[in-house]
Amino acid sequence: MTDLDLDFVRARFPAFSEPSLAGFAHFENAGGSYACGQAIEWLDRYYRQTKVQPYYPFPPSTKAGEQMDSARARMAAWLNVGTDELHFGPSTSQNTYVIAQALREKLGPGDEVIVTNQDHEANIGVWRRLGSGGVVIREWKVDPVTAELHAADLAALLGPRTRVVAFTQCSNVVASINPVRELTDMVHRAGAWAIVDGVAACPHGLPDVQALGADIYLFSLYKVYGPHLGAMTLRRELNAELPSQGHFFNAGKPGARFTPAGPDHAQIAAVNGVMDYMDAVADRHGCDGQPVQAQAAAIRKLFHDRETALLQPLLDFLSGHPGVRLIGRDRAAERAPTVAFLAEGHASRDLARRLSEFRLGVGSGNFYAYRLLQALGIDTDDGVVRASFVHYTSEEEVGRLIGALDALL
Ligand SMILES: Cc1ncc(COP(=O)(O)O)c(C=O)c1O
């Protein structure tokens, strides 16, 4: 394995050769990444050639179904789950909503659900609403200074009535990588299910979901170079145990039980494009011929090493600036390159606007991590400034961001 070939990578994202985006540096990747060319091509091809109802015997229909099936199979293999364990819905928020409806039928008064205040609201609010049916909601709180979650605090909340624990692999504001396997082991020892939000982690490398031990694992493909789609893995046994949320006559079909909205066929087919991109990067970096799990692990390391090297100078700048409050850790290796901060004397909204004058795309606000900002004593309206990148970001772009911040702060 060599260093990431940045030219190869950037050549696969049409945004980098799009004239209207020339000179613009994208630092709102945690909101949504650029789409890789392969995903765009699959979408385009689907709409041109196979935009019919899939799974009938006439050729375009059969082909449409085959494309959807291959997308599911390829991504499931990469994630190390069964093909029947991967589900696509409109978004992660929609996927958690549907599972919450199933849990509402399954859990009774006195059962306990643990949520954090570090998560995006998509992995909090739906579970909290189960409280109206008598389910007891317990909150696993962050340390109000470091914004970190501590396993010991979870241990104190787990009990004989705990049925579900929902937490994040990586917060979209704090960005530390939580020790998912350690936590899912704790949850399972307590006899509960672990629901893990991987949305902020996956753009930095798709995981081995089995190794993480999550019963339900969620992420959003529009942040992983693909179409606007939510992906959810659901352990086979749990699928069978939870009440179906689909049409009654489909209750025997595992793939139809938790996607009542009906999948977007073209977007599912376009997941093939994300997998084509992963395969191309793997091949380019000497992984061709290796088992898929080895390729996935190699890509995770490749992205992580690249992002860590780019991230450290930005963290050094922010943590060394007397007027800046950096949220989360200052060691790049321990976190994702999603960097939230406050700058003394600058409203976050204003600073993001000033940065846009440098042709830097940076966001501000609470990013739906509303409860986290409350816990940290941060104004939830103005929120934080957040600069986030992925492996395709260049050193020059990060240098421009640091330069602009230096000029403005
Ligand atoms: C960490 C995290 N979880 C969940 C979500 C919700 O994802 P979706 O937009 O697919 O509903 C987001 C969206 O930004 C997120 O950042």
Side-chain angles (χ1 to χ4, degrees), residues 30-32 90-96 118-123 168 170-173 197-201 218-223 228-231 367-368 386:
S91 66
T92 292
S93 302
Q94 178 71 27
N95 284 338
T96 56
Q118 194 189 53
D119 274 86
H120 183 286
E121 192 64 16
N123 196 32
T168 187
C170 172
S171 140
N172 63 339
V173 170
D197 179 343
V199 174
L218 305 126
F219 64 99
S220 303
L221 278 150
Y222 68 95
K223 302 178 197 265
H228 201 114
L229 208 54
F367 302 101
Y368 290 14
R386 186 181 74 176

PDB file of all heavy atoms in Angstrom, residues 30-32 90-96 118-123 168 170-173 197-201 218-223 228-231 367-368 386, ligand 1:
ATOM      1  N   ALA A  30     -19.074  17.132   5.616  1.00  0.00           N
ATOM      2  CA  ALA A  30     -19.867  16.405   6.610  1.00  0.00           C
ATOM      3  C   ALA A  30     -21.353  16.622   6.357  1.00  0.00           C
ATOM      4  O   ALA A  30     -22.193  15.838   6.805  1.00  0.00           O
ATOM      5  CB  ALA A  30     -19.490  16.843   8.020  1.00  0.00           C
ATOM      6  N   GLY A  31     -21.684  17.693   5.630  1.00  0.00           N
ATOM      7  CA  GLY A  31     -23.068  17.908   5.213  1.00  0.00           C
ATOM      8  C   GLY A  31     -23.388  17.053   3.992  1.00  0.00           C
ATOM      9  O   GLY A  31     -24.429  16.401   3.926  1.00  0.00           O
ATOM     10  N   GLY A  32     -22.499  17.034   3.043  1.00  0.00           N
ATOM     11  CA  GLY A  32     -22.695  16.229   1.836  1.00  0.00           C
ATOM     12  C   GLY A  32     -21.433  16.279   0.997  1.00  0.00           C
ATOM     13  O   GLY A  32     -20.910  17.366   0.744  1.00  0.00           O
ATOM     14  N   PRO A  90     -34.816   6.466   2.210  1.00  0.00           N
ATOM     15  CA  PRO A  90     -34.562   7.816   1.690  1.00  0.00           C
ATOM     16  C   PRO A  90     -33.442   8.554   2.427  1.00  0.00           C
ATOM     17  O   PRO A  90     -32.778   9.407   1.850  1.00  0.00           O
ATOM     18  CB  PRO A  90     -35.893   8.544   1.905  1.00  0.00           C
ATOM     19  CG  PRO A  90     -36.903   7.476   2.111  1.00  0.00           C
ATOM     20  CD  PRO A  90     -36.197   6.297   2.680  1.00  0.00           C
ATOM     21  N   SER A  91     -33.247   8.265   3.710  1.00  0.00           N
ATOM     22  CA  SER A  91     -32.226   8.968   4.486  1.00  0.00           C
ATOM     23  C   SER A  91     -32.041   8.207   5.797  1.00  0.00           C
ATOM     24  O   SER A  91     -32.852   7.333   6.137  1.00  0.00           O
ATOM     25  CB  SER A  91     -32.677  10.401   4.794  1.00  0.00           C
ATOM     26  OG  SER A  91     -33.800  10.364   5.662  1.00  0.00           O
ATOM     27  N   THR A  92     -31.033   8.595   6.540  1.00  0.00           N
ATOM     28  CA  THR A  92     -30.837   7.978   7.854  1.00  0.00           C
ATOM     29  C   THR A  92     -31.973   8.373   8.799  1.00  0.00           C
ATOM     30  O   THR A  92     -32.471   7.546   9.561  1.00  0.00           O
ATOM     31  CB  THR A  92     -29.465   8.392   8.419  1.00  0.00           C
ATOM     32  OG1 THR A  92     -28.466   7.769   7.597  1.00  0.00           O
ATOM     33  CG2 THR A  92     -29.287   7.956   9.861  1.00  0.00           C
ATOM     34  N   SER A  93     -32.399   9.632   8.725  1.00  0.00           N
ATOM     35  CA  SER A  93     -33.497  10.073   9.599  1.00  0.00           C
ATOM     36  C   SER A  93     -34.755   9.237   9.338  1.00  0.00           C
ATOM     37  O   SER A  93     -35.482   8.881  10.272  1.00  0.00           O
ATOM     38  CB  SER A  93     -33.832  11.548   9.350  1.00  0.00           C
ATOM     39  OG  SER A  93     -32.697  12.351   9.574  1.00  0.00           O
ATOM     40  N   GLN A  94     -35.000   8.945   8.070  1.00  0.00           N
ATOM     41  CA  GLN A  94     -36.175   8.126   7.742  1.00  0.00           C
ATOM     42  C   GLN A  94     -35.979   6.690   8.238  1.00  0.00           C
ATOM     43  O   GLN A  94     -36.911   6.068   8.765  1.00  0.00           O
ATOM     44  CB  GLN A  94     -36.389   8.134   6.222  1.00  0.00           C
ATOM     45  CG  GLN A  94     -37.543   7.287   5.737  1.00  0.00           C
ATOM     46  CD  GLN A  94     -38.900   7.882   6.090  1.00  0.00           C
ATOM     47  OE1 GLN A  94     -39.011   9.094   6.239  1.00  0.00           O
ATOM     48  NE2 GLN A  94     -39.896   7.057   6.243  1.00  0.00           N
ATOM     49  N   ASN A  95     -34.778   6.171   8.110  1.00  0.00           N
ATOM     50  CA  ASN A  95     -34.523   4.794   8.549  1.00  0.00           C
ATOM     51  C   ASN A  95     -34.684   4.659  10.069  1.00  0.00           C
ATOM     52  O   ASN A  95     -35.276   3.686  10.547  1.00  0.00           O
ATOM     53  CB  ASN A  95     -33.123   4.348   8.103  1.00  0.00           C
ATOM     54  CG  ASN A  95     -33.084   4.020   6.612  1.00  0.00           C
ATOM     55  OD1 ASN A  95     -34.115   3.732   6.007  1.00  0.00           O
ATOM     56  ND2 ASN A  95     -31.906   4.069   6.009  1.00  0.00           N
ATOM     57  N   THR A  96     -34.170   5.619  10.837  1.00  0.00           N
ATOM     58  CA  THR A  96     -34.351   5.520  12.296  1.00  0.00           C
ATOM     59  C   THR A  96     -35.834   5.684  12.648  1.00  0.00           C
ATOM     60  O   THR A  96     -36.335   5.036  13.564  1.00  0.00           O
ATOM     61  CB  THR A  96     -33.514   6.564  13.078  1.00  0.00           C
ATOM     62  OG1 THR A  96     -33.825   7.875  12.631  1.00  0.00           O
ATOM     63  CG2 THR A  96     -32.029   6.301  12.951  1.00  0.00           C
ATOM     64  N   GLN A 118     -24.736  13.397  22.515  1.00  0.00           N
ATOM     65  CA  GLN A 118     -23.656  13.732  21.573  1.00  0.00           C
ATOM     66  C   GLN A 118     -24.124  13.559  20.128  1.00  0.00           C
ATOM     67  O   GLN A 118     -23.559  14.131  19.206  1.00  0.00           O
ATOM     68  CB  GLN A 118     -22.435  12.828  21.828  1.00  0.00           C
ATOM     69  CG  GLN A 118     -21.170  13.306  21.152  1.00  0.00           C
ATOM     70  CD  GLN A 118     -20.039  12.287  21.227  1.00  0.00           C
ATOM     71  OE1 GLN A 118     -20.201  11.129  20.861  1.00  0.00           O
ATOM     72  NE2 GLN A 118     -18.887  12.737  21.702  1.00  0.00           N
ATOM     73  N   ASP A 119     -25.169  12.783  19.934  1.00  0.00           N
ATOM     74  CA  ASP A 119     -25.621  12.419  18.587  1.00  0.00           C
ATOM     75  C   ASP A 119     -26.295  13.569  17.823  1.00  0.00           C
ATOM     76  O   ASP A 119     -26.792  14.531  18.405  1.00  0.00           O
ATOM     77  CB  ASP A 119     -26.649  11.294  18.692  1.00  0.00           C
ATOM     78  CG  ASP A 119     -26.019   9.916  18.746  1.00  0.00           C
ATOM     79  OD1 ASP A 119     -25.651   9.458  19.843  1.00  0.00           O
ATOM     80  OD2 ASP A 119     -25.922   9.296  17.670  1.00  0.00           O
ATOM     81  N   HIS A 120     -26.357  13.397  16.525  1.00  0.00           N
ATOM     82  CA  HIS A 120     -27.283  14.147  15.656  1.00  0.00           C
ATOM     83  C   HIS A 120     -28.701  13.759  16.101  1.00  0.00           C
ATOM     84  O   HIS A 120     -28.942  12.613  16.502  1.00  0.00           O
ATOM     85  CB  HIS A 120     -27.023  13.698  14.218  1.00  0.00           C
ATOM     86  CG  HIS A 120     -27.816  14.377  13.149  1.00  0.00           C
ATOM     87  ND1 HIS A 120     -29.143  14.125  12.928  1.00  0.00           N
ATOM     88  CD2 HIS A 120     -27.453  15.275  12.202  1.00  0.00           C
ATOM     89  CE1 HIS A 120     -29.570  14.839  11.904  1.00  0.00           C
ATOM     90  NE2 HIS A 120     -28.566  15.558  11.442  1.00  0.00           N
ATOM     91  N   GLU A 121     -29.642  14.663  15.984  1.00  0.00           N
ATOM     92  CA  GLU A 121     -30.998  14.406  16.489  1.00  0.00           C
ATOM     93  C   GLU A 121     -31.658  13.192  15.805  1.00  0.00           C
ATOM     94  O   GLU A 121     -32.564  12.570  16.384  1.00  0.00           O
ATOM     95  CB  GLU A 121     -31.858  15.666  16.318  1.00  0.00           C
ATOM     96  CG  GLU A 121     -33.189  15.636  17.038  1.00  0.00           C
ATOM     97  CD  GLU A 121     -33.099  15.563  18.584  1.00  0.00           C
ATOM     98  OE1 GLU A 121     -32.028  15.831  19.162  1.00  0.00           O
ATOM     99  OE2 GLU A 121     -34.134  15.223  19.199  1.00  0.00           O
ATOM    100  N   ALA A 122     -31.189  12.833  14.613  1.00  0.00           N
ATOM    101  CA  ALA A 122     -31.757  11.669  13.909  1.00  0.00           C
ATOM    102  C   ALA A 122     -31.610  10.381  14.709  1.00  0.00           C
ATOM    103  O   ALA A 122     -32.377   9.444  14.524  1.00  0.00           O
ATOM    104  CB  ALA A 122     -31.085  11.498  12.547  1.00  0.00           C
ATOM    105  N   ASN A 123     -30.610  10.339  15.603  1.00  0.00           N
ATOM    106  CA  ASN A 123     -30.399   9.134  16.407  1.00  0.00           C
ATOM    107  C   ASN A 123     -30.727   9.397  17.886  1.00  0.00           C
ATOM    108  O   ASN A 123     -30.194   8.731  18.767  1.00  0.00           O
ATOM    109  CB  ASN A 123     -28.949   8.646  16.244  1.00  0.00           C
ATOM    110  CG  ASN A 123     -28.752   7.211  16.721  1.00  0.00           C
ATOM    111  OD1 ASN A 123     -29.668   6.374  16.614  1.00  0.00           O
ATOM    112  ND2 ASN A 123     -27.578   6.910  17.259  1.00  0.00           N
ATOM    113  N   THR A 168     -23.454   7.179  18.716  1.00  0.00           N
ATOM    114  CA  THR A 168     -22.799   7.474  17.448  1.00  0.00           C
ATOM    115  C   THR A 168     -21.377   6.937  17.407  1.00  0.00           C
ATOM    116  O   THR A 168     -20.685   6.920  18.427  1.00  0.00           O
ATOM    117  CB  THR A 168     -22.817   8.996  17.183  1.00  0.00           C
ATOM    118  OG1 THR A 168     -22.325   9.241  15.875  1.00  0.00           O
ATOM    119  CG2 THR A 168     -21.974   9.780  18.174  1.00  0.00           C
ATOM    120  N   CYS A 170     -19.236   8.447  15.585  1.00  0.00           N
ATOM    121  CA  CYS A 170     -18.454   9.684  15.470  1.00  0.00           C
ATOM    122  C   CYS A 170     -19.456  10.828  15.400  1.00  0.00           C
ATOM    123  O   CYS A 170     -20.324  10.812  14.528  1.00  0.00           O
ATOM    124  CB  CYS A 170     -17.637   9.593  14.181  1.00  0.00           C
ATOM    125  SG  CYS A 170     -16.767  11.086  13.719  1.00  0.00           S
ATOM    126  N   SER A 171     -19.352  11.768  16.313  1.00  0.00           N
ATOM    127  CA  SER A 171     -20.280  12.900  16.274  1.00  0.00           C
ATOM    128  C   SER A 171     -19.944  13.808  15.099  1.00  0.00           C
ATOM    129  O   SER A 171     -18.770  13.969  14.748  1.00  0.00           O
ATOM    130  CB  SER A 171     -20.188  13.666  17.599  1.00  0.00           C
ATOM    131  OG  SER A 171     -20.238  15.051  17.395  1.00  0.00           O
ATOM    132  N   ASN A 172     -20.980  14.433  14.515  1.00  0.00           N
ATOM    133  CA  ASN A 172     -20.737  15.330  13.379  1.00  0.00           C
ATOM    134  C   ASN A 172     -20.228  16.699  13.823  1.00  0.00           C
ATOM    135  O   ASN A 172     -20.054  17.589  13.009  1.00  0.00           O
ATOM    136  CB  ASN A 172     -22.005  15.467  12.516  1.00  0.00           C
ATOM    137  CG  ASN A 172     -23.157  16.107  13.268  1.00  0.00           C
ATOM    138  OD1 ASN A 172     -23.186  16.117  14.496  1.00  0.00           O
ATOM    139  ND2 ASN A 172     -24.120  16.642  12.535  1.00  0.00           N
ATOM    140  N   VAL A 173     -20.005  16.852  15.148  1.00  0.00           N
ATOM    141  CA  VAL A 173     -19.443  18.102  15.667  1.00  0.00           C
ATOM    142  C   VAL A 173     -18.164  17.829  16.471  1.00  0.00           C
ATOM    143  O   VAL A 173     -17.151  18.500  16.288  1.00  0.00           O
ATOM    144  CB  VAL A 173     -20.491  18.851  16.536  1.00  0.00           C
ATOM    145  CG1 VAL A 173     -19.868  20.012  17.283  1.00  0.00           C
ATOM    146  CG2 VAL A 173     -21.634  19.355  15.652  1.00  0.00           C
ATOM    147  N   ASP A 197     -24.982   5.069  14.869  1.00  0.00           N
ATOM    148  CA  ASP A 197     -25.008   6.038  13.786  1.00  0.00           C
ATOM    149  C   ASP A 197     -23.592   6.171  13.221  1.00  0.00           C
ATOM    150  O   ASP A 197     -22.695   6.687  13.882  1.00  0.00           O
ATOM    151  CB  ASP A 197     -25.508   7.387  14.332  1.00  0.00           C
ATOM    152  CG  ASP A 197     -25.539   8.468  13.259  1.00  0.00           C
ATOM    153  OD1 ASP A 197     -24.893   8.298  12.201  1.00  0.00           O
ATOM    154  OD2 ASP A 197     -26.200   9.503  13.479  1.00  0.00           O
ATOM    155  N   GLY A 198     -23.440   5.712  11.981  1.00  0.00           N
ATOM    156  CA  GLY A 198     -22.124   5.794  11.332  1.00  0.00           C
ATOM    157  C   GLY A 198     -22.050   6.900  10.294  1.00  0.00           C
ATOM    158  O   GLY A 198     -21.107   6.944   9.507  1.00  0.00           O
ATOM    159  N   VAL A 199     -23.026   7.818  10.319  1.00  0.00           N
ATOM    160  CA  VAL A 199     -23.109   8.817   9.239  1.00  0.00           C
ATOM    161  C   VAL A 199     -21.845   9.675   9.147  1.00  0.00           C
ATOM    162  O   VAL A 199     -21.336   9.936   8.052  1.00  0.00           O
ATOM    163  CB  VAL A 199     -24.360   9.722   9.421  1.00  0.00           C
ATOM    164  CG1 VAL A 199     -24.374  10.839   8.385  1.00  0.00           C
ATOM    165  CG2 VAL A 199     -25.637   8.907   9.328  1.00  0.00           C
ATOM    166  N   ALA A 200     -21.340  10.117  10.301  1.00  0.00           N
ATOM    167  CA  ALA A 200     -20.173  11.011  10.269  1.00  0.00           C
ATOM    168  C   ALA A 200     -18.863  10.235  10.146  1.00  0.00           C
ATOM    169  O   ALA A 200     -17.817  10.827   9.878  1.00  0.00           O
ATOM    170  CB  ALA A 200     -20.147  11.887  11.526  1.00  0.00           C
ATOM    171  N   ALA A 201     -18.914   8.934  10.337  1.00  0.00           N
ATOM    172  CA  ALA A 201     -17.690   8.128  10.244  1.00  0.00           C
ATOM    173  C   ALA A 201     -17.461   7.589   8.828  1.00  0.00           C
ATOM    174  O   ALA A 201     -16.322   7.525   8.347  1.00  0.00           O
ATOM    175  CB  ALA A 201     -17.766   6.960  11.232  1.00  0.00           C
ATOM    176  N   LEU A 218     -26.168   2.632  10.693  1.00  0.00           N
ATOM    177  CA  LEU A 218     -26.774   3.548   9.714  1.00  0.00           C
ATOM    178  C   LEU A 218     -25.755   4.519   9.136  1.00  0.00           C
ATOM    179  O   LEU A 218     -24.884   5.017   9.866  1.00  0.00           O
ATOM    180  CB  LEU A 218     -27.858   4.372  10.403  1.00  0.00           C
ATOM    181  CG  LEU A 218     -28.944   3.567  11.111  1.00  0.00           C
ATOM    182  CD1 LEU A 218     -29.075   3.998  12.560  1.00  0.00           C
ATOM    183  CD2 LEU A 218     -30.266   3.707  10.386  1.00  0.00           C
ATOM    184  N   PHE A 219     -25.894   4.792   7.849  1.00  0.00           N
ATOM    185  CA  PHE A 219     -25.107   5.880   7.252  1.00  0.00           C
ATOM    186  C   PHE A 219     -25.811   6.416   6.008  1.00  0.00           C
ATOM    187  O   PHE A 219     -26.784   5.825   5.521  1.00  0.00           O
ATOM    188  CB  PHE A 219     -23.664   5.453   6.949  1.00  0.00           C
ATOM    189  CG  PHE A 219     -23.511   4.373   5.917  1.00  0.00           C
ATOM    190  CD1 PHE A 219     -23.191   4.686   4.603  1.00  0.00           C
ATOM    191  CD2 PHE A 219     -23.649   3.036   6.261  1.00  0.00           C
ATOM    192  CE1 PHE A 219     -23.025   3.687   3.643  1.00  0.00           C
ATOM    193  CE2 PHE A 219     -23.493   2.030   5.317  1.00  0.00           C
ATOM    194  CZ  PHE A 219     -23.177   2.362   4.009  1.00  0.00           C
ATOM    195  N   SER A 220     -25.313   7.559   5.533  1.00  0.00           N
ATOM    196  CA  SER A 220     -25.997   8.263   4.442  1.00  0.00           C
ATOM    197  C   SER A 220     -25.088   8.333   3.225  1.00  0.00           C
ATOM    198  O   SER A 220     -23.996   8.897   3.290  1.00  0.00           O
ATOM    199  CB  SER A 220     -26.376   9.675   4.903  1.00  0.00           C
ATOM    200  OG  SER A 220     -27.176   9.590   6.065  1.00  0.00           O
ATOM    201  N   LEU A 221     -25.556   7.777   2.117  1.00  0.00           N
ATOM    202  CA  LEU A 221     -24.689   7.657   0.942  1.00  0.00           C
ATOM    203  C   LEU A 221     -24.373   8.985   0.282  1.00  0.00           C
ATOM    204  O   LEU A 221     -23.397   9.092  -0.446  1.00  0.00           O
ATOM    205  CB  LEU A 221     -25.327   6.687  -0.054  1.00  0.00           C
ATOM    206  CG  LEU A 221     -25.014   5.242   0.343  1.00  0.00           C
ATOM    207  CD1 LEU A 221     -26.106   4.294  -0.063  1.00  0.00           C
ATOM    208  CD2 LEU A 221     -23.675   4.822  -0.244  1.00  0.00           C
ATOM    209  N   TYR A 222     -25.194   9.994   0.542  1.00  0.00           N
ATOM    210  CA  TYR A 222     -24.880  11.281  -0.088  1.00  0.00           C
ATOM    211  C   TYR A 222     -23.686  11.951   0.578  1.00  0.00           C
ATOM    212  O   TYR A 222     -23.204  12.980   0.111  1.00  0.00           O
ATOM    213  CB  TYR A 222     -26.110  12.200  -0.093  1.00  0.00           C
ATOM    214  CG  TYR A 222     -26.572  12.710   1.257  1.00  0.00           C
ATOM    215  CD1 TYR A 222     -26.161  13.944   1.722  1.00  0.00           C
ATOM    216  CD2 TYR A 222     -27.431  11.969   2.051  1.00  0.00           C
ATOM    217  CE1 TYR A 222     -26.594  14.431   2.943  1.00  0.00           C
ATOM    218  CE2 TYR A 222     -27.871  12.439   3.276  1.00  0.00           C
ATOM    219  CZ  TYR A 222     -27.443  13.669   3.718  1.00  0.00           C
ATOM    220  OH  TYR A 222     -27.857  14.150   4.934  1.00  0.00           O
ATOM    221  N   LYS A 223     -23.214  11.373   1.655  1.00  0.00           N
ATOM    222  CA  LYS A 223     -21.969  11.864   2.274  1.00  0.00           C
ATOM    223  C   LYS A 223     -20.808  10.933   1.944  1.00  0.00           C
ATOM    224  O   LYS A 223     -19.679  11.140   2.369  1.00  0.00           O
ATOM    225  CB  LYS A 223     -22.143  11.960   3.787  1.00  0.00           C
ATOM    226  CG  LYS A 223     -23.303  12.887   4.200  1.00  0.00           C
ATOM    227  CD  LYS A 223     -23.472  12.907   5.699  1.00  0.00           C
ATOM    228  CE  LYS A 223     -24.807  13.446   6.136  1.00  0.00           C
ATOM    229  NZ  LYS A 223     -24.820  14.868   6.466  1.00  0.00           N
ATOM    230  N   HIS A 228     -28.517  10.552  -2.901  1.00  0.00           N
ATOM    231  CA  HIS A 228     -29.150  10.907  -1.629  1.00  0.00           C
ATOM    232  C   HIS A 228     -30.010   9.746  -1.132  1.00  0.00           C
ATOM    233  O   HIS A 228     -31.207   9.646  -1.412  1.00  0.00           O
ATOM    234  CB  HIS A 228     -29.987  12.186  -1.752  1.00  0.00           C
ATOM    235  CG  HIS A 228     -30.191  12.816  -0.419  1.00  0.00           C
ATOM    236  ND1 HIS A 228     -29.662  14.038  -0.071  1.00  0.00           N
ATOM    237  CD2 HIS A 228     -30.804  12.359   0.696  1.00  0.00           C
ATOM    238  CE1 HIS A 228     -29.968  14.304   1.182  1.00  0.00           C
ATOM    239  NE2 HIS A 228     -30.666  13.302   1.669  1.00  0.00           N
ATOM    240  N   LEU A 229     -29.364   8.898  -0.348  1.00  0.00           N
ATOM    241  CA  LEU A 229     -29.962   7.639   0.079  1.00  0.00           C
ATOM    242  C   LEU A 229     -29.417   7.312   1.464  1.00  0.00           C
ATOM    243  O   LEU A 229     -28.265   7.634   1.766  1.00  0.00           O
ATOM    244  CB  LEU A 229     -29.479   6.580  -0.916  1.00  0.00           C
ATOM    245  CG  LEU A 229     -30.295   5.347  -1.230  1.00  0.00           C
ATOM    246  CD1 LEU A 229     -31.696   5.705  -1.667  1.00  0.00           C
ATOM    247  CD2 LEU A 229     -29.601   4.552  -2.336  1.00  0.00           C
ATOM    248  N   GLY A 230     -30.247   6.669   2.291  1.00  0.00           N
ATOM    249  CA  GLY A 230     -29.765   6.197   3.590  1.00  0.00           C
ATOM    250  C   GLY A 230     -29.543   4.698   3.535  1.00  0.00           C
ATOM    251  O   GLY A 230     -30.374   3.973   2.976  1.00  0.00           O
ATOM    252  N   ALA A 231     -28.439   4.236   4.101  1.00  0.00           N
ATOM    253  CA  ALA A 231     -28.173   2.791   4.155  1.00  0.00           C
ATOM    254  C   ALA A 231     -28.289   2.336   5.598  1.00  0.00           C
ATOM    255  O   ALA A 231     -27.875   3.053   6.521  1.00  0.00           O
ATOM    256  CB  ALA A 231     -26.774   2.488   3.615  1.00  0.00           C
ATOM    257  N   PHE A 367     -26.019  22.039  13.312  1.00  0.00           N
ATOM    258  CA  PHE A 367     -25.884  20.782  12.558  1.00  0.00           C
ATOM    259  C   PHE A 367     -26.751  19.663  13.140  1.00  0.00           C
ATOM    260  O   PHE A 367     -26.411  18.492  13.058  1.00  0.00           O
ATOM    261  CB  PHE A 367     -24.407  20.356  12.449  1.00  0.00           C
ATOM    262  CG  PHE A 367     -23.555  21.416  11.781  1.00  0.00           C
ATOM    263  CD1 PHE A 367     -22.759  22.259  12.537  1.00  0.00           C
ATOM    264  CD2 PHE A 367     -23.611  21.598  10.410  1.00  0.00           C
ATOM    265  CE1 PHE A 367     -22.013  23.260  11.928  1.00  0.00           C
ATOM    266  CE2 PHE A 367     -22.867  22.593   9.788  1.00  0.00           C
ATOM    267  CZ  PHE A 367     -22.065  23.428  10.563  1.00  0.00           C
ATOM    268  N   TYR A 368     -27.867  20.065  13.746  1.00  0.00           N
ATOM    269  CA  TYR A 368     -28.836  19.140  14.350  1.00  0.00           C
ATOM    270  C   TYR A 368     -28.241  18.365  15.523  1.00  0.00           C
ATOM    271  O   TYR A 368     -28.837  17.394  15.985  1.00  0.00           O
ATOM    272  CB  TYR A 368     -29.446  18.187  13.317  1.00  0.00           C
ATOM    273  CG  TYR A 368     -30.396  18.855  12.328  1.00  0.00           C
ATOM    274  CD1 TYR A 368     -30.451  20.242  12.201  1.00  0.00           C
ATOM    275  CD2 TYR A 368     -31.250  18.107  11.539  1.00  0.00           C
ATOM    276  CE1 TYR A 368     -31.306  20.847  11.304  1.00  0.00           C
ATOM    277  CE2 TYR A 368     -32.125  18.706  10.645  1.00  0.00           C
ATOM    278  CZ  TYR A 368     -32.137  20.087  10.537  1.00  0.00           C
ATOM    279  OH  TYR A 368     -32.992  20.698   9.653  1.00  0.00           O
ATOM    280  N   ARG A 386     -18.026  25.030  11.196  1.00  0.00           N
ATOM    281  CA  ARG A 386     -17.566  23.651  10.969  1.00  0.00           C
ATOM    282  C   ARG A 386     -16.921  23.538   9.587  1.00  0.00           C
ATOM    283  O   ARG A 386     -17.550  23.828   8.579  1.00  0.00           O
ATOM    284  CB  ARG A 386     -18.729  22.668  11.071  1.00  0.00           C
ATOM    285  CG  ARG A 386     -18.269  21.214  10.977  1.00  0.00           C
ATOM    286  CD  ARG A 386     -19.430  20.241  11.064  1.00  0.00           C
ATOM    287  NE  ARG A 386     -20.220  20.203   9.845  1.00  0.00           N
ATOM    288  CZ  ARG A 386     -21.251  19.378   9.628  1.00  0.00           C
ATOM    289  NH1 ARG A 386     -21.639  18.542  10.587  1.00  0.00           N
ATOM    290  NH2 ARG A 386     -21.914  19.395   8.494  1.00  0.00           N
TER     291      ARG A 386
HETATM  292  C1  LIG B   1     -24.059  12.236  12.364  1.00  0.00           C
HETATM  293  C2  LIG B   1     -25.326  12.313  11.565  1.00  0.00           C
HETATM  294  N1  LIG B   1     -26.287  11.447  11.813  1.00  0.00           N
HETATM  295  C3  LIG B   1     -27.446  11.444  11.121  1.00  0.00           C
HETATM  296  C4  LIG B   1     -27.663  12.382  10.127  1.00  0.00           C
HETATM  297  C5  LIG B   1     -28.962  12.348   9.384  1.00  0.00           C
HETATM  298  O1  LIG B   1     -28.754  11.835   8.097  1.00  0.00           O
HETATM  299  P1  LIG B   1     -29.851  12.035   6.957  1.00  0.00           P
HETATM  300  O2  LIG B   1     -29.657  13.404   6.427  1.00  0.00           O
HETATM  301  O3  LIG B   1     -29.494  10.977   5.950  1.00  0.00           O
HETATM  302  O4  LIG B   1     -31.165  11.837   7.549  1.00  0.00           O
HETATM  303  C6  LIG B   1     -26.677  13.321   9.830  1.00  0.00           C
HETATM  304  C7  LIG B   1     -26.899  14.329   8.787  1.00  0.00           C
HETATM  305  O5  LIG B   1     -26.201  15.276   8.645  1.00  0.00           O
HETATM  306  C8  LIG B   1     -25.472  13.288  10.573  1.00  0.00           C
HETATM  307  O6  LIG B   1     -24.497  14.168  10.341  1.00  0.00           O
END
